[in-house]
Amino acid sequence: MTKHENLIGGKWVSFGNYHDNINPSDTSDVIGSYSYGDASSVDAAVEAARAAQPGWRNATPQARHDLLDAVGNTIAARKDEIGRLLSREEGKTLAEGIGETMRASQVFKFFAGECLRQSGDLQASVRPDIDIEVTREPVGVVGIVTPWNFPIAIPAWKTAPALAYGNCVILKPADLTPGCAHMIAQILDECGCPPGVFNLVMGRGSKVGEALITHTGIDAISFTGSVATGHHIAEVCGKSRKKVQLEMGGKNPMVVLNDADLSVAVPACLNGTFFSTGQRCTASSRLIVEAGIHDAFVDAMTKAVTDLKVGNALDASTQIGPVVDEKQLNSNLAYVELAKKEGAEVIGGQRLELGQTGFYQAPALFLGTNNDMRINREEIFGPCGSILKVSDFDEALAVANDTDFGLSAGICTASLKSARDFKRQAQAGMVMVNLPTAGVDYHVPFGGSKGSSFGAREQGRYAVEFYTTVKTSYIYAG
Ligand code: NAP
Ligand code: MG
């Protein structure tokens, strides 16, 4: 079986401690064996990154552009191979795996362009004969901690801006999905990334992650993952005054009004709730439906959900791949039981035995629910969605906003006024009109409000806020 090492200071390093990467569609398929590090591995990576920092921050925009552009091109050229690896290790369908791989390529190419578009402000002083320059500088060494559900896109959308703005990086991917992060490291190395500018340390959050967030040689932490881990990281980084950016969970509402076109609303809800096995932080988990369209919507949605084909991620006819692992599957199944206890009528949701050793679950629709139920308050992170019946727009908006989270919120309506009112009043970082709550562009900001996010936005030109710090220079030429 192929063994995979860590990238530290431009060298591939083994720490022993090999972990098998298992395919959730078929647990007899072992993708490879990955060497996991610990706190001393992080020390070595920080030393390498700090040594590389002065050179990289002074590298020309052209040199930074050329590296990121080459990485973007290489990922695109190898999209079928990388997409297949992604689907094997994470379980989303091959089409989704290749799509996510292309997204990573686009992100690297976008930030390649940003290398050439860095600028500052020149202002006149309020005092005579003085000019003021406001310029941006890299933060320094950035620790990146990523979840398993977008194993190539999230590492890409943190690594590419970090490097574009002159920072050095240490990436710790989720322990369930080291393969795609290793692939990014390999491609960066092959494309001529200078030693120490990008470092990969694989391993457990409790060891490698904890060492990164507590290390005094790291200036900033960008994290995507669960609320509990995010809160812990905020506390630790606050104490050591590290800059921190957190993208956490969601409990995203999708409102369907009486005037919605069902041929738009049903596919949007189906996609938003169940695609990628519901394992998206932007997934719609609360479908809030106005009374007049409720029964027709439930009929159409029930049929659409029951027709979804669950199967091996690599099978071309599969629409919904497996759940990522046994632990997540058991957690989802416990929520299905909870839904019944809380009085919901449950369609689907059972474990499926498909003649292969995988973690398959039928998509679950919870009918007749209300917003006080735990199934509507806690993030499930699986192929499960609730329907909540409401009497009018005002109640729909109130229910949509009655949550600790605020990542994405959607509405299906034919009314421009309702769409505008919802857009203005939804407490969420992203609002979707007649579109699924999940599925975003890469050149515009991504992030949420309330409990979903903390710190500067990710992606697009807004990424500059997190990955740089501002310097104000006064120049007297009298
Ligand atoms: P998680 O358990 O919080 O893990 C996220 C990352 O943090 C992993 O790399 C994990 O390592 C690491 N980690 C764990 N404990 C740590 C510690 N003490 N210090 C530093 N790092 C630590 O989340 P997950 O289960 O991988 O992902 C699912 C969650 O991510 C969901 O809640 C989902 O909503 C959220 N998510 C949010 C967004 C967004 O943009 N808002 C996007 C995708 C996913 P291990 O892998 O070793 O545990
Ligand atoms: Mg985890």
Side-chain angles (χ1 to χ4, degrees), residues 310 336 347-352 360-364 383-384:
V310 179
V336 171
I347 313 279
Q350 72 281 13
R351 183 169 190 164
L352 298 174
Y360 297 102
Q361 182 182 9
C384 306

Side-chain angles (χ1 to χ4, degrees), residues 137-439:
E137 298 188 344
V139 174
V141 173
V142 180
I144 294 177
V145 180
T146 55
W148 47 261
N149 65 332
F150 285 96
I152 196 160
I154 295 179
W157 84 48
K158 294 179 189 294
T159 298
L163 297 181
Y165 299 121
N167 303 280
C168 290
V169 166
I170 302 165
L171 169 64
K172 189 217 93 68
D175 77 299
L176 287 176
T177 54
C180 287
H182 189 276
M183 186 60 89
I184 288 185
Q186 217 178 300
I187 290 173
L188 271 155
D189 189 36
E190 283 165 18
C191 291
C193 181
V197 167
F198 174 89
N199 305 277
L200 173 75
V201 183
M202 300 177 288
R204 288 274 148 79
S206 55
K207 288 189 174 164
V208 175
E210 198 63 32
L212 276 176
I213 63 174
T214 49
H215 205 293
T216 51
I218 290 182
D219 302 292
I221 295 284
S222 179
F223 165 82
T224 298
S226 63
V227 173
T229 310
H231 285 181
H232 170 66
I233 291 177
E235 257 175 50
V236 171
C237 291
K239 278 191 192 129
S240 58
R241 281 168 281 108
K242 279 187 188 60
K243 196 167 183 181
V244 65
Q245 173 181 59
L246 309 172
E247 293 297 343
M248 298 170 284
K251 195 68 194 171
N252 308 293
M254 173 58 118
V255 170
V256 180
L257 294 185
N258 286 341
D259 63 9
D261 179 344
L262 278 182
S263 72
V264 172
V266 172
C269 292
L270 198 69
N271 174 324
T273 309
F274 299 106
F275 285 15
S276 298
T277 321
Q279 297 174 151
R280 294 187 286 188
C281 49
T282 47
S284 327
S285 54
R286 296 179 298 136
L287 308 174
I288 301 165
V289 185
E290 211 178 353
I293 199 171
H294 176 270
D295 292 355
F297 177 81
V298 167
D299 285 350
M301 200 58 195
T302 303
K303 176 166 184 348
V305 170
T306 325
D307 285 349
L308 283 172
K309 184 166 182 308
V310 179
N312 189 311
L314 300 180
D315 182 335
S317 65
T318 293
Q319 291 173 287
I320 307 291
V323 173
V324 72
D325 72 350
E326 182 101 49
K327 187 165 158 242
Q328 185 67 48
L329 175 59
N330 287 336
S331 165
N332 297 349
L333 295 172
Y335 274 110
V336 171
E337 287 313 305
L338 178 65
K340 290 176 190 160
K341 265 197 214 118
E342 291 190 306
E345 182 193 338
V346 176
I347 313 279
Q350 72 281 13
R351 183 169 190 164
L352 298 174
E353 302 296 342
L354 299 178
Q356 10 194 350
T357 54
F359 308 117
Y360 297 102
Q361 182 182 9
L365 201 53
F366 306 146
L367 308 180
T369 76
N370 67 60
N371 210 41
D372 293 329
M373 295 176 174
R374 273 181 57 204
I375 50 165
N376 288 329
R377 305 218 71 90
E378 298 168 16
E379 183 179 50
I380 300 175
F381 219 59
C384 306
S386 297
I387 295 187
L388 302 91
K389 190 180 189 177
V390 292
S391 54
D392 57 18
F393 174 88
D394 289 342
E395 192 190 351
L397 179 67
V399 170
N401 285 340
D402 178 16
T403 171
D404 294 337
F405 296 102
L407 191 55
S408 181
I411 186 165
C412 290
T413 177
S415 156
L416 188 57
K417 177 171 165 31
S418 300
R420 186 199 61 179
D421 289 351
F422 186 78
K423 188 190 75 178
R424 289 188 179 174
Q425 294 175 71
Q427 294 165 0
M430 297 174 289
V431 176
M432 309 292 182
V433 177
N434 294 322
L435 285 167
T437 54

